[in-house]
Amino acid sequence: SGQIVWMKEFGFTPFWGQMCASSDGGALIADTREVIKISSSGSISWQKQFQNSMYSQNHFETENGFVFFRYNISSANLAYPVMLDAKGNIKWNGQRIPNFTAYRGIQRANGNLLFIGDLAQSALFNNPTLIEIDTSNGEILKTVVHRDNLPLAIGYDLSELPNGSIIYSGSASH
């Protein structure tokens, strides 16, 4: 009907907060230091606060838990994937990936995680990059960087076709 069922304010930053729906009708909300799981009625189911202030973005739910990338809030420019279980406990922290910004992630039919993002190398930015990660431990299995003067410089949308082929779309940076 378009009516607001409930509204809550959590006081996150307006720039780096992000939300995704969860399979139980609730949502996962992330900000620089914490991730909050809310129920379908808007009450807090659990909160996970991290010691280091890092951006937590690009999250989604898998059958094994919630996955997201954390990014340094500094010039160090390191990112790493994290998986939390359904109760907010850390299942794993993945490998640190220098100069990578993830834009979208999916869980593949084979169970692995796949992210499309940008890998900045030297002075070159906008290298559409696919990184496949083992969902059981966060280990990077494969990295593919597309550098062929693509007019599509920043990849955003990501899907897997029934035959296992990967497609993505995005936008040019100029």
Side-chain angles (χ1 to χ4, degrees), residues 63-155:
E63 59 192 32
N64 298 320
F66 297 98
V67 178
F68 54 94
F69 260 85
R70 299 201 71 218
Y71 303 93
N72 277 7
I73 304 176
S74 71
S75 60
N77 203 15
L78 290 172
Y80 65 94
V82 176
M83 179 175 267
L84 302 179
D85 67 16
K87 296 185 185 290
N89 301 308
I90 294 178
K91 289 184 83 168
W92 49 257
N93 285 311
Q95 296 170 263
R96 292 181 183 264
I97 307 167
N99 303 314
F100 180 71
T101 302
Y103 294 120
R104 179 83 62 219
I106 61 171
Q107 185 168 23
R108 299 195 61 194
N110 66 11
N112 292 336
L113 305 170
L114 184 67
F115 287 87
I116 181 82
D118 180 34
L119 183 64
Q121 297 180 329
S122 302
L124 301 174
F125 292 91
N126 302 330
N127 295 299
T129 303
L130 295 162
I131 295 181
E132 189 163 359
I133 297 171
D134 186 325
T135 193
S136 67
N137 60 16
E139 179 184 336
I140 295 173
L141 301 173
K142 187 175 187 179
T143 301
V144 176
V145 180
H146 293 187
R147 292 190 194 109
D148 302 324
N149 296 319
L150 296 172
L152 182 66
I154 301 173

Coordinates of all heavy atoms in Angstrom, one line a residue, residues 63-155:
E63 N 23.6 -18.2 2.4 CA 23.1 -19.3 3.3 C 24.0 -19.5 4.5 O 23.5 -20.1 5.5 CB 22.9 -20.5 2.5 CG 24.2 -21.0 1.9 CD 24.0 -22.2 0.9 OE1 23.0 -22.2 0.2 OE2 24.9 -23.0 0.8
N64 N 25.2 -19.0 4.5 CA 26.2 -19.2 5.6 C 26.3 -18.0 6.5 O 27.0 -18.1 7.5 CB 27.6 -19.6 5.0 CG 27.5 -20.9 4.3 OD1 26.9 -21.8 4.7 ND2 28.2 -20.9 3.1
G65 N 25.7 -16.9 6.1 CA 25.8 -15.7 7.0 C 25.8 -14.4 6.1 O 25.4 -14.4 5.0
F66 N 26.3 -13.3 6.7 CA 26.4 -12.0 6.0 C 27.8 -11.7 5.6 O 28.7 -11.9 6.4 CB 25.9 -10.9 7.0 CG 24.5 -11.1 7.4 CD1 24.1 -11.7 8.6 CD2 23.4 -10.7 6.6 CE1 22.8 -11.9 9.0 CE2 22.1 -10.8 6.9 CZ 21.8 -11.4 8.1
V67 N 28.0 -11.3 4.4 CA 29.3 -11.0 3.9 C 29.4 -9.5 3.6 O 28.4 -8.9 3.1 CB 29.5 -11.7 2.5 CG1 30.9 -11.4 1.9 CG2 29.4 -13.2 2.8
F68 N 30.5 -8.9 3.8 CA 30.7 -7.5 3.5 C 32.2 -7.2 3.4 O 33.0 -8.0 3.8 CB 30.0 -6.5 4.4 CG 30.3 -6.7 5.9 CD1 31.3 -5.9 6.4 CD2 29.6 -7.6 6.6 CE1 31.6 -6.1 7.8 CE2 30.0 -7.7 8.0 CZ 31.0 -7.0 8.5
F69 N 32.5 -6.0 2.8 CA 33.9 -5.6 2.7 C 34.1 -4.5 3.7 O 33.2 -3.6 3.9 CB 34.2 -5.0 1.3 CG 35.0 -6.0 0.4 CD1 34.3 -7.0 -0.3 CD2 36.3 -6.0 0.4 CE1 35.0 -7.9 -1.0 CE2 37.0 -6.9 -0.4 CZ 36.4 -7.9 -1.1
R70 N 35.3 -4.4 4.3 CA 35.7 -3.3 5.2 C 36.8 -2.6 4.6 O 37.7 -3.2 4.0 CB 36.1 -3.9 6.6 CG 34.9 -4.6 7.2 CD 35.0 -4.7 8.7 NE 34.8 -3.4 9.3 CZ 35.5 -3.0 10.4 NH1 36.4 -3.7 11.0 NH2 35.3 -1.8 10.9
Y71 N 36.8 -1.3 4.6 CA 37.8 -0.4 4.0 C 38.4 0.5 5.0 O 37.7 1.0 5.9 CB 37.1 0.5 2.9 CG 36.4 -0.3 1.9 CD1 35.0 -0.5 2.0 CD2 37.1 -0.7 0.8 CE1 34.4 -1.2 1.1 CE2 36.4 -1.4 -0.2 CZ 35.0 -1.7 -0.1 OH 34.4 -2.4 -1.0
N72 N 39.7 0.7 4.9 CA 40.4 1.6 5.8 C 39.9 3.0 5.6 O 39.6 3.4 4.5 CB 41.9 1.6 5.5 CG 42.7 0.5 6.2 OD1 42.1 -0.4 6.8 ND2 44.0 0.5 6.1
I73 N 39.8 3.7 6.7 CA 39.5 5.1 6.7 C 40.9 5.9 6.8 O 41.2 6.5 7.8 CB 38.5 5.6 7.8 CG1 37.3 4.7 7.7 CG2 38.2 7.0 7.7 CD1 36.3 5.0 8.8
S74 N 41.7 5.7 5.9 CA 43.1 6.3 5.9 C 43.6 6.2 4.5 O 43.0 5.6 3.6 CB 44.0 5.6 6.9 OG 44.3 4.3 6.4
S75 N 44.8 6.6 4.3 CA 45.5 6.5 3.0 C 46.1 5.1 2.8 O 46.6 4.8 1.7 CB 46.6 7.5 3.0 OG 47.6 7.3 4.0
A76 N 46.0 4.2 3.8 CA 46.5 2.9 3.6 C 45.7 2.1 2.5 O 46.3 1.3 1.8 CB 46.4 2.1 4.9
N77 N 44.5 2.4 2.3 CA 43.7 1.9 1.2 C 43.7 0.4 1.1 O 43.9 -0.2 0.1 CB 44.1 2.5 -0.1 CG 43.0 2.4 -1.2 OD1 41.9 2.2 -0.8 ND2 43.4 2.6 -2.4
L78 N 43.4 -0.3 2.2 CA 43.3 -1.7 2.3 C 41.8 -2.1 2.4 O 41.1 -1.4 3.1 CB 44.1 -2.3 3.4 CG 45.6 -2.3 3.3 CD1 46.2 -2.7 4.6 CD2 46.1 -3.1 2.1
A79 N 41.4 -3.2 1.8 CA 40.1 -3.7 2.0 C 40.2 -5.2 2.3 O 41.1 -5.8 1.9 CB 39.3 -3.5 0.7
Y80 N 39.2 -5.7 3.0 CA 39.1 -7.1 3.2 C 37.7 -7.6 3.4 O 36.9 -6.8 4.0 CB 40.0 -7.6 4.3 CG 39.6 -7.1 5.7 CD1 38.8 -7.9 6.5 CD2 40.0 -5.9 6.2 CE1 38.5 -7.5 7.8 CE2 39.7 -5.4 7.4 CZ 38.9 -6.2 8.3 OH 38.5 -5.8 9.5
P81 N 37.3 -8.8 2.9 CA 36.0 -9.3 3.1 C 35.9 -9.9 4.5 O 36.8 -10.4 5.1 CB 35.9 -10.4 2.1 CG 37.3 -10.9 1.9 CD 38.1 -9.7 2.1
V82 N 34.6 -9.8 5.1 CA 34.3 -10.4 6.4 C 33.0 -11.2 6.3 O 32.1 -10.8 5.5 CB 34.1 -9.2 7.4 CG1 33.7 -9.8 8.8 CG2 35.3 -8.4 7.6
M83 N 32.9 -12.3 7.0 CA 31.7 -13.0 7.1 C 31.3 -13.1 8.5 O 32.0 -13.5 9.4 CB 31.7 -14.4 6.5 CG 30.4 -15.1 6.6 SD 30.3 -16.7 5.7 CE 29.7 -16.2 4.2
L84 N 30.0 -12.7 8.8 CA 29.4 -12.9 10.1 C 28.4 -14.0 10.0 O 27.7 -14.1 9.0 CB 28.7 -11.6 10.6 CG 29.6 -10.3 10.7 CD1 28.7 -9.2 11.1 CD2 30.7 -10.5 11.6
D85 N 28.2 -14.8 11.1 CA 27.1 -15.8 11.1 C 25.8 -15.1 11.4 O 25.7 -13.9 11.6 CB 27.4 -16.9 12.1 CG 27.4 -16.5 13.5 OD1 26.9 -15.4 13.9 OD2 27.9 -17.3 14.4
A86 N 24.7 -15.8 11.4 CA 23.4 -15.3 11.6 C 23.2 -14.6 13.0 O 22.2 -13.8 13.1 CB 22.3 -16.4 11.5
K87 N 24.1 -14.8 13.9 CA 24.0 -14.2 15.2 C 25.0 -13.0 15.4 O 25.1 -12.4 16.5 CB 24.2 -15.2 16.4 CG 23.2 -16.3 16.4 CD 23.4 -17.2 17.6 CE 22.4 -18.3 17.6 NZ 21.0 -18.0 17.9
G88 N 25.8 -12.7 14.3 CA 26.7 -11.6 14.3 C 28.1 -11.9 14.8 O 28.9 -11.0 14.9
N89 N 28.4 -13.2 14.9 CA 29.8 -13.6 15.3 C 30.6 -13.7 14.0 O 30.1 -14.1 13.0 CB 29.7 -15.0 16.0 CG 28.9 -15.0 17.2 OD1 29.1 -14.1 18.1 ND2 28.0 -15.9 17.3
I90 N 31.9 -13.3 14.1 CA 32.8 -13.4 13.0 C 33.1 -14.8 12.6 O 33.6 -15.6 13.5 CB 34.1 -12.6 13.2 CG1 33.8 -11.1 13.4 CG2 35.1 -12.8 12.1 CD1 35.0 -10.2 13.7
K91 N 32.8 -15.2 11.4 CA 33.2 -16.5 10.9 C 34.6 -16.5 10.3 O 35.4 -17.4 10.5 CB 32.2 -17.0 9.8 CG 30.8 -17.4 10.4 CD 29.9 -17.9 9.3 CE 30.2 -19.4 9.2 NZ 29.2 -20.1 8.4
W92 N 34.9 -15.4 9.6 CA 36.2 -15.2 9.1 C 36.4 -13.8 8.6 O 35.5 -13.1 8.3 CB 36.6 -16.2 8.0 CG 35.6 -16.3 6.8 CD1 34.7 -17.4 6.6 CD2 35.4 -15.4 5.7 NE1 34.0 -17.1 5.5 CE2 34.4 -16.0 4.9 CE3 36.0 -14.2 5.3 CZ2 33.9 -15.3 3.7 CZ3 35.5 -13.6 4.2 CH2 34.5 -14.2 3.4
N93 N 37.7 -13.4 8.7 CA 38.2 -12.2 8.1 C 39.1 -12.6 6.9 O 40.0 -13.4 7.1 CB 39.1 -11.3 9.0 CG 38.3 -10.6 10.1 OD1 37.3 -10.0 9.8 ND2 38.7 -10.8 11.3
G94 N 38.8 -12.1 5.7 CA 39.5 -12.6 4.5 C 40.8 -11.9 4.4 O 41.2 -11.0 5.2
Q95 N 41.5 -12.2 3.3 CA 42.8 -11.6 3.0 C 42.6 -10.1 2.7 O 41.7 -9.7 2.1 CB 43.4 -12.3 1.8 CG 43.7 -13.7 2.0 CD 44.1 -14.4 0.6 OE1 43.2 -15.0 0.0 NE2 45.3 -14.2 0.2
R96 N 43.6 -9.3 3.1 CA 43.6 -7.9 2.8 C 44.0 -7.7 1.3 O 44.9 -8.4 0.8 CB 44.6 -7.2 3.7 CG 44.2 -7.2 5.1 CD 45.1 -6.4 6.0 NE 44.7 -6.5 7.4 CZ 44.0 -5.5 8.0 NH1 43.6 -4.4 7.3 NH2 43.6 -5.7 9.2
I97 N 43.3 -6.8 0.7 CA 43.4 -6.6 -0.7 C 43.8 -5.1 -0.9 O 42.9 -4.2 -0.7 CB 42.2 -6.9 -1.6 CG1 41.7 -8.3 -1.2 CG2 42.4 -6.7 -3.0 CD1 40.3 -8.6 -1.7
P98 N 45.0 -4.8 -1.3 CA 45.4 -3.3 -1.4 C 44.7 -2.7 -2.6 O 44.6 -3.3 -3.7 CB 46.9 -3.4 -1.6 CG 47.3 -4.8 -1.5 CD 46.2 -5.7 -1.5
N99 N 44.3 -1.5 -2.5 CA 43.8 -0.6 -3.6 C 42.5 -1.2 -4.3 O 42.3 -1.0 -5.5 CB 44.9 -0.4 -4.6 CG 46.0 0.3 -3.9 OD1 45.9 1.2 -3.1 ND2 47.2 -0.2 -4.2
F100 N 41.7 -2.0 -3.6 CA 40.5 -2.6 -4.2 C 39.3 -2.0 -3.5 O 39.2 -1.9 -2.3 CB 40.5 -4.1 -4.0 CG 39.3 -4.7 -4.6 CD1 39.1 -4.8 -6.0 CD2 38.3 -5.3 -3.8 CE1 38.0 -5.4 -6.6 CE2 37.1 -5.9 -4.4 CZ 37.0 -5.9 -5.8
T101 N 38.3 -1.5 -4.4 CA 37.0 -1.1 -3.9 C 36.0 -2.0 -4.5 O 35.8 -2.0 -5.7 CB 36.8 0.4 -4.3 OG1 37.8 1.2 -3.7 CG2 35.4 0.9 -3.7
A102 N 35.2 -2.7 -3.7 CA 34.2 -3.6 -4.2 C 32.9 -2.8 -4.4 O 32.6 -1.9 -3.6 CB 33.9 -4.7 -3.2
Y103 N 32.2 -3.1 -5.5 CA 30.9 -2.4 -5.8 C 29.7 -3.3 -5.7 O 28.7 -2.8 -5.3 CB 31.0 -1.8 -7.2 CG 32.0 -0.7 -7.4 CD1 33.0 -0.8 -8.3 CD2 31.9 0.5 -6.6 CE1 34.0 0.2 -8.4 CE2 32.9 1.5 -6.7 CZ 33.9 1.4 -7.6 OH 34.8 2.3 -7.7
R104 N 29.9 -4.6 -6.0 CA 28.7 -5.5 -5.9 C 29.3 -6.9 -5.7 O 30.3 -7.3 -6.2 CB 27.9 -5.5 -7.2 CG 26.8 -6.4 -7.2 CD 25.5 -5.8 -6.6 NE 25.1 -4.6 -7.3 CZ 24.7 -3.5 -6.7 NH1 24.5 -3.5 -5.4 NH2 24.3 -2.5 -7.4
G105 N 28.5 -7.7 -4.9 CA 28.9 -9.1 -4.6 C 27.7 -10.0 -4.8 O 26.6 -9.6 -4.6
I106 N 28.0 -11.2 -5.2 CA 27.0 -12.3 -5.3 C 27.6 -13.6 -4.8 O 28.8 -13.7 -4.6 CB 26.6 -12.5 -6.8 CG1 27.7 -12.9 -7.7 CG2 25.9 -11.2 -7.3 CD1 27.3 -13.4 -9.1
Q107 N 26.7 -14.5 -4.5 CA 27.1 -15.9 -4.2 C 26.9 -16.7 -5.4 O 25.8 -16.7 -6.0 CB 26.4 -16.5 -3.0 CG 26.9 -17.8 -2.6 CD 26.4 -18.4 -1.3 OE1 25.4 -18.0 -0.8 NE2 27.2 -19.3 -0.7
R108 N 27.9 -17.3 -6.0 CA 27.8 -18.1 -7.2 C 27.1 -19.4 -6.9 O 27.0 -19.8 -5.8 CB 29.2 -18.3 -7.8 CG 29.9 -17.0 -8.1 CD 31.1 -17.3 -9.0 NE 30.6 -17.9 -10.2 CZ 31.4 -18.5 -11.1 NH1 32.7 -18.5 -10.9 NH2 30.9 -19.0 -12.2
A109 N 26.7 -20.0 -8.0 CA 26.0 -21.3 -7.9 C 27.0 -22.4 -7.3 O 26.5 -23.3 -6.6 CB 25.6 -21.8 -9.3
N110 N 28.3 -22.2 -7.4 CA 29.3 -23.1 -6.8 C 29.5 -22.9 -5.4 O 30.3 -23.5 -4.7 CB 30.6 -23.1 -7.6 CG 31.3 -21.8 -7.5 OD1 31.0 -20.9 -6.7 ND2 32.4 -21.7 -8.4
G111 N 28.8 -21.8 -4.8 CA 28.9 -21.5 -3.4 C 30.0 -20.4 -3.1 O 29.9 -19.8 -2.0
N112 N 30.9 -20.1 -4.0 CA 31.9 -19.1 -3.8 C 31.3 -17.7 -3.9 O 30.2 -17.5 -4.5 CB 33.0 -19.2 -4.9 CG 33.8 -20.5 -4.7 OD1 33.9 -21.0 -3.6 ND2 34.5 -20.9 -5.8
L113 N 32.0 -16.8 -3.4 CA 31.6 -15.3 -3.4 C 32.3 -14.7 -4.6 O 33.5 -15.0 -4.9 CB 31.9 -14.6 -2.1 CG 31.4 -15.3 -0.9 CD1 32.0 -14.6 0.4 CD2 29.9 -15.2 -0.8
L114 N 31.6 -13.8 -5.3 CA 32.3 -13.1 -6.4 C 31.9 -11.6 -6.2 O 30.8 -11.2 -6.0 CB 31.7 -13.6 -7.7 CG 32.4 -13.0 -9.0 CD1 33.9 -13.4 -9.1 CD2 31.6 -13.4 -10.2
F115 N 33.0 -10.8 -6.3 CA 32.8 -9.3 -6.2 C 33.4 -8.7 -7.5 O 34.4 -9.1 -8.0 CB 33.6 -8.8 -5.0 CG 32.9 -9.1 -3.7 CD1 33.2 -10.3 -3.1 CD2 32.0 -8.2 -3.1 CE1 32.6 -10.6 -1.9 CE2 31.4 -8.5 -1.9 CZ 31.7 -9.7 -1.3
I116 N 32.6 -7.6 -7.9 CA 33.1 -6.7 -9.0 C 33.5 -5.4 -8.3 O 32.8 -5.0 -7.4 CB 32.1 -6.5 -10.1 CG1 32.6 -5.6 -11.2 CG2 30.8 -5.9 -9.5 CD1 33.4 -6.3 -12.2
G117 N 34.6 -4.9 -8.7 CA 35.1 -3.6 -8.1 C 36.2 -3.0 -9.0 O 36.4 -3.3 -10.2
D118 N 36.9 -2.1 -8.4 CA 37.9 -1.3 -9.0 C 39.2 -1.6 -8.3 O 39.3 -1.5 -7.1 CB 37.6 0.2 -9.0 CG 38.7 1.0 -9.7 OD1 39.2 0.6 -10.7 OD2 38.9 2.2 -9.2
L119 N 40.2 -2.0 -9.1 CA 41.6 -2.2 -8.5 C 42.5 -1.1 -9.1 O 42.7 -1.0 -10.3 CB 42.1 -3.5 -9.0 CG 43.5 -3.9 -8.4 CD1 43.4 -4.0 -6.9 CD2 44.0 -5.2 -9.0
A120 N 42.9 -0.2 -8.2 CA 43.8 0.9 -8.6 C 45.2 0.4 -8.6 O 45.7 -0.1 -7.6 CB 43.6 2.1 -7.6
Q121 N 45.9 0.5 -9.7 CA 47.2 0.1 -9.8 C 48.1 1.2 -10.4 O 47.8 1.8 -11.4 CB 47.3 -1.1 -10.8 CG 46.6 -2.3 -10.3 CD 46.7 -3.5 -11.2 OE1 46.8 -3.3 -12.4 NE2 46.6 -4.7 -10.6
S122 N 49.1 1.6 -9.6 CA 50.0 2.7 -9.9 C 49.1 4.0 -10.0 O 48.3 4.2 -9.1 CB 50.8 2.5 -11.2 OG 51.6 1.4 -11.1
A123 N 49.2 4.7 -11.1 CA 48.3 5.9 -11.3 C 47.1 5.5 -12.1 O 46.3 6.4 -12.4 CB 49.1 7.0 -12.0
L124 N 46.9 4.2 -12.4 CA 45.7 3.8 -13.2 C 44.6 3.4 -12.3 O 44.7 2.6 -11.4 CB 46.1 2.7 -14.1 CG 47.2 2.9 -15.1 CD1 47.6 1.6 -15.8 CD2 46.8 4.0 -16.1
F125 N 43.4 4.0 -12.5 CA 42.2 3.7 -11.8 C 41.2 3.1 -12.8 O 41.4 3.1 -14.0 CB 41.6 4.9 -11.1 CG 42.5 5.5 -10.0 CD1 43.4 6.4 -10.2 CD2 42.3 5.0 -8.7 CE1 44.2 6.9 -9.2 CE2 43.1 5.5 -7.7 CZ 44.0 6.4 -7.9
N126 N 40.1 2.7 -12.3 CA 39.0 2.2 -13.1 C 39.4 1.0 -13.9 O 39.3 0.9 -15.1 CB 38.5 3.3 -14.0 CG 38.0 4.5 -13.2 OD1 37.5 4.3 -12.1 ND2 38.1 5.6 -13.8
N127 N 39.9 0.0 -13.2 CA 40.2 -1.3 -13.8 C 39.2 -2.3 -13.3 O 39.3 -2.8 -12.2 CB 41.6 -1.8 -13.4 CG 42.7 -1.0 -13.9 OD1 42.9 -0.8 -15.1 ND2 43.5 -0.4 -13.0
P128 N 38.1 -2.5 -14.1 CA 37.1 -3.5 -13.6 C 37.8 -4.8 -13.2 O 38.5 -5.4 -14.0 CB 36.2 -3.7 -14.8 CG 36.4 -2.4 -15.6 CD 37.8 -2.1 -15.4
T129 N 37.5 -5.2 -11.9 CA 38.2 -6.4 -11.4 C 37.2 -7.3 -10.7 O 36.3 -6.9 -10.0 CB 39.2 -5.9 -10.3 OG1 40.1 -5.0 -10.9 CG2 40.0 -7.1 -9.7
L130 N 37.3 -8.6 -11.1 CA 36.5 -9.6 -10.5 C 37.4 -10.4 -9.5 O 38.5 -10.8 -9.9 CB 35.9 -10.6 -11.5 CG 35.0 -9.9 -12.5 CD1 34.8 -10.8 -13.8 CD2 33.6 -9.7 -11.8
I131 N 36.9 -10.6 -8.2 CA 37.6 -11.3 -7.2 C 36.7 -12.4 -6.7 O 35.6 -12.1 -6.2 CB 38.1 -10.5 -6.1 CG1 39.2 -9.5 -6.6 CG2 38.7 -11.3 -5.0 CD1 39.8 -8.6 -5.6
E132 N 37.1 -13.7 -6.9 CA 36.3 -14.8 -6.4 C 36.9 -15.3 -5.0 O 38.1 -15.4 -4.9 CB 36.3 -16.0 -7.4 CG 35.3 -17.1 -7.0 CD 35.0 -18.0 -8.1 OE1 35.5 -17.8 -9.3 OE2 34.2 -18.9 -7.9
I133 N 36.0 -15.5 -4.0 CA 36.5 -15.8 -2.7 C 35.8 -17.1 -2.2 O 34.6 -17.3 -2.4 CB 36.1 -14.6 -1.8 CG1 36.9 -13.4 -2.2 CG2 36.4 -14.9 -0.3 CD1 36.5 -12.1 -1.5
D134 N 36.5 -17.9 -1.5 CA 36.0 -19.1 -0.9 C 35.1 -18.7 0.3 O 35.5 -18.1 1.2 CB 37.1 -20.0 -0.4 CG 36.7 -21.4 0.1 OD1 35.6 -21.5 0.7 OD2 37.5 -22.3 -0.1
T135 N 33.8 -19.2 0.2 CA 32.9 -18.8 1.2 C 33.1 -19.4 2.6 O 32.7 -18.9 3.6 CB 31.4 -19.1 0.8 OG1 30.5 -18.4 1.6 CG2 31.1 -20.5 0.8
S136 N 33.9 -20.5 2.6 CA 34.2 -21.2 3.9 C 35.2 -20.5 4.7 O 35.2 -20.7 5.9 CB 34.5 -22.6 3.6 OG 35.8 -22.8 3.0
N137 N 36.2 -19.8 4.1 CA 37.3 -19.2 4.8 C 37.8 -17.9 4.4 O 38.7 -17.3 5.0 CB 38.5 -20.2 4.8 CG 39.0 -20.5 3.4 OD1 38.7 -19.8 2.5 ND2 39.8 -21.6 3.3
G138 N 37.2 -17.3 3.4 CA 37.6 -15.9 2.9 C 38.9 -15.9 2.0 O 39.3 -14.8 1.7
E139 N 39.4 -17.1 1.6 CA 40.6 -17.1 0.8 C 40.2 -16.7 -0.6 O 39.2 -17.1 -1.2 CB 41.1 -18.6 0.8 CG 42.3 -18.7 -0.1 CD 42.8 -20.2 -0.2 OE1 42.4 -21.0 0.7 OE2 43.4 -20.5 -1.2
I140 N 41.1 -15.8 -1.2 CA 41.0 -15.4 -2.6 C 41.3 -16.6 -3.5 O 42.4 -17.1 -3.4 CB 41.8 -14.2 -2.9 CG1 41.3 -13.0 -2.1 CG2 41.8 -13.8 -4.4 CD1 42.2 -11.8 -2.2
L141 N 40.4 -17.0 -4.4 CA 40.6 -18.1 -5.3 C 41.1 -17.6 -6.6 O 41.9 -18.3 -7.3 CB 39.4 -18.9 -5.4 CG 38.8 -19.5 -4.1 CD1 37.4 -20.1 -4.4 CD2 39.8 -20.5 -3.6
K142 N 40.6 -16.4 -7.1 CA 40.9 -16.0 -8.4 C 40.7 -14.5 -8.5 O 39.7 -14.0 -8.0 CB 40.0 -16.7 -9.5 CG 40.4 -16.5 -10.9 CD 39.5 -17.3 -11.8 CE 40.0 -17.2 -13.2 NZ 39.2 -18.1 -14.1
T143 N 41.6 -13.8 -9.2 CA 41.4 -12.4 -9.5 C 41.6 -12.1 -11.0 O 42.5 -12.6 -11.6 CB 42.5 -11.5 -8.8 OG1 42.3 -11.8 -7.4 CG2 42.3 -10.1 -9.0
V144 N 40.6 -11.5 -11.6 CA 40.7 -11.1 -13.0 C 40.5 -9.6 -13.2 O 39.5 -9.0 -12.8 CB 39.6 -11.8 -13.9 CG1 39.6 -11.4 -15.3 CG2 39.7 -13.3 -13.7
V145 N 41.5 -9.0 -13.8 CA 41.5 -7.5 -14.0 C 41.3 -7.3 -15.5 O 42.1 -7.8 -16.3 CB 42.8 -6.9 -13.5 CG1 42.8 -5.3 -13.8 CG2 43.1 -7.2 -12.1
H146 N 40.3 -6.5 -15.8 CA 40.0 -6.1 -17.2 C 40.7 -4.8 -17.5 O 40.2 -3.8 -17.0 CB 38.5 -6.1 -17.5 CG 37.9 -7.4 -17.4 ND1 36.6 -7.7 -17.7 CD2 38.4 -8.6 -17.0 CE1 36.3 -8.9 -17.6 NE2 37.4 -9.5 -17.1
R147 N 41.7 -4.8 -18.4 CA 42.4 -3.5 -18.7 C 42.4 -3.2 -20.2 O 43.2 -2.5 -20.6 CB 43.9 -3.6 -18.3 CG 44.1 -3.7 -16.8 CD 45.6 -3.6 -16.5 NE 45.9 -4.0 -15.2 CZ 46.5 -5.1 -14.8 NH1 46.9 -5.9 -15.8 NH2 46.7 -5.4 -13.6
D148 N 41.5 -3.7 -20.9 CA 41.6 -3.6 -22.4 C 40.9 -2.4 -23.0 O 40.1 -2.5 -23.9 CB 41.0 -4.9 -23.0 CG 41.7 -6.1 -22.6 OD1 42.9 -6.1 -22.4 OD2 41.0 -7.2 -22.4
N149 N 41.2 -1.2 -22.4 CA 40.6 0.0 -22.9 C 39.1 -0.1 -23.0 O 38.5 0.3 -23.9 CB 41.2 0.5 -24.2 CG 42.7 0.8 -24.1 OD1 43.1 1.4 -23.1 ND2 43.5 0.3 -25.1
L150 N 38.5 -0.6 -21.9 CA 37.1 -0.8 -21.9 C 36.4 0.6 -21.8 O 36.8 1.4 -21.0 CB 36.7 -1.6 -20.7 CG 37.2 -3.1 -20.8 CD1 36.8 -3.8 -19.4 CD2 36.5 -3.8 -21.9
P151 N 35.4 0.8 -22.6 CA 34.6 2.0 -22.4 C 33.8 1.9 -21.1 O 33.4 2.9 -20.5 CB 33.6 2.0 -23.6 CG 33.5 0.6 -24.0 CD 34.9 0.0 -23.7
L152 N 33.6 0.7 -20.6 CA 33.0 0.4 -19.3 C 34.0 0.4 -18.2 O 34.6 -0.6 -18.0 CB 32.2 -0.9 -19.4 CG 31.4 -1.3 -18.2 CD1 30.3 -0.4 -18.0 CD2 30.9 -2.7 -18.4
A153 N 34.3 1.5 -17.7 CA 35.5 1.6 -16.8 C 35.2 1.2 -15.3 O 36.1 0.8 -14.6 CB 36.0 3.0 -16.8
I154 N 33.9 1.4 -14.9 CA 33.6 1.0 -13.5 C 32.4 0.0 -13.5 O 31.3 0.4 -13.9 CB 33.2 2.3 -12.7 CG1 34.4 3.3 -12.7 CG2 32.9 1.9 -11.3 CD1 34.0 4.6 -12.0
G155 N 32.7 -1.2 -13.1 CA 31.7 -2.2 -13.1 C 30.8 -2.2 -11.9 O 31.3 -2.1 -10.8

